[in-house]
């Protein structure tokens, strides 16, 4: 069965940057509902369309296709007093600009700490990177009525409860 709208696709993938550094690799196949349900990056969905089980794929995603361009505006220096006493580099906080809607909140990662200030970065760790998404299609099946209703896949066999 070929990948078409309203099929559930299972695949194994590796995500690496353009230098070949491996960033992420699946242990078990992931599944998504194909056909514009935002189940996977649109560029990947486009490349997979019409492919069959067992076929390999290799998609290069520009930052805009993946986690966005790196935005310097999202790096902010805040007073140390706004943060808990025990913080360390790499910790993450959810927040937004003053008066921002909660829907616009981003995940900020602590990147620098001094006695008086904390620098946080709201960019996704992979923002600004061109990424290679490669892998193998391990399954294609028709979506169930429940999956179409929910707009997402319910696992490889369609019986995942949630
Ligand atoms: Zn569901």
């Amino acid at each position: 069965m070929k990948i078409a709208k309203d099929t559930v696709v299972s695949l194994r993938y590796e995500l690496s940057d353009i230098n070949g550094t491996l960033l992420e690799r699946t242990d078990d196949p992931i599944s998504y509902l194909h056909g514009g349900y935002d189940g996977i990056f649109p560029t990947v969905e486009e490349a997979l369309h019409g492919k069959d089980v067992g076929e390999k794929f290799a998609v290069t995603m520009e930052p805009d296709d993946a986690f966005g361009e790196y935005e310097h505006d999202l790096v902010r220096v805040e007073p140390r007093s706004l943060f808990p006493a025990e913080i360390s580099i790499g910790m993450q906080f959810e927040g937004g600009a003053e008066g921002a809607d909660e829907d616009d909140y981003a995940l900020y990662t602590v990147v620098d700490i001094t006695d008086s200030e904390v620098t946080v970065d709201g960019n996704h760790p992979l923002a600004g990177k061109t990424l290679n998404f490669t892998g193998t299609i391990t399954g294609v099946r028709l979506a169930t009525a429940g999956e179409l209703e929910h707009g997402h896949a319910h696992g490889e066999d369609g019986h995942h409860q949630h």
Side-chain angles (χ1 to χ4, degrees):
M1 171 167 225
K2 288 192 190 325
I3 296 174
K5 182 167 170 57
D6 299 344
T7 56
V8 170
V9 181
S10 298
L11 53 87
R12 291 181 188 281
Y13 73 85
E14 288 188 357
L15 190 65
S16 54
D17 65 19
I18 45 171
N19 301 317
T21 305
L22 184 67
L23 302 167
E24 208 177 299
R25 188 210 309 257
T26 45
D27 291 326
D28 297 310
I30 59 147
S31 300
Y32 78 93
L33 178 57
H34 185 90
Y37 296 94
D38 278 334
I40 201 163
F41 297 108
T43 323
V44 172
E45 190 160 72
E46 206 173 295
L48 292 181
H49 196 83
K51 285 193 185 294
D52 213 331
V53 179
E55 283 195 70
K56 293 185 185 307
F57 54 86
V59 185
T60 300
M61 296 187 287
E62 299 298 327
D64 265 349
D65 302 327
F67 296 99
E69 298 290 349
Y70 190 87
E71 291 181 48
H72 290 277
D73 289 355
L74 290 176
V75 178
R76 304 188 5 208
V77 180
E78 304 282 1
R80 177 71 183 82
S81 57
L82 287 181
F83 292 84
E86 296 292 325
I87 60 166
S88 55
I89 287 173
M91 279 179 76
Q92 294 186 313
F93 295 91
E94 191 152 10
E98 216 173 311
D101 202 354
E102 264 190 54
D103 291 344
D104 293 329
Y105 275 19
L107 199 58
Y108 284 85
T109 305
V110 175
V111 293
D112 194 33
I113 306 166
T114 69
D115 286 344
S116 57
E117 289 169 337
V118 175
T119 307
V120 292
D121 186 345
N123 287 285
H124 187 280
L126 298 178
K129 286 187 194 289
T130 298
L131 301 170
N132 288 319
F133 189 88
T134 59
T136 309
I137 298 156
T138 60
V140 182
R141 61 169 173 81
L142 287 177
T144 64
E147 287 172 322
L148 292 174
E149 195 180 311
H150 287 193
H152 56 227
H154 289 163
E156 266 185 285
D157 59 5
H159 297 306
H160 174 71
Q161 298 295 318
H162 68 104

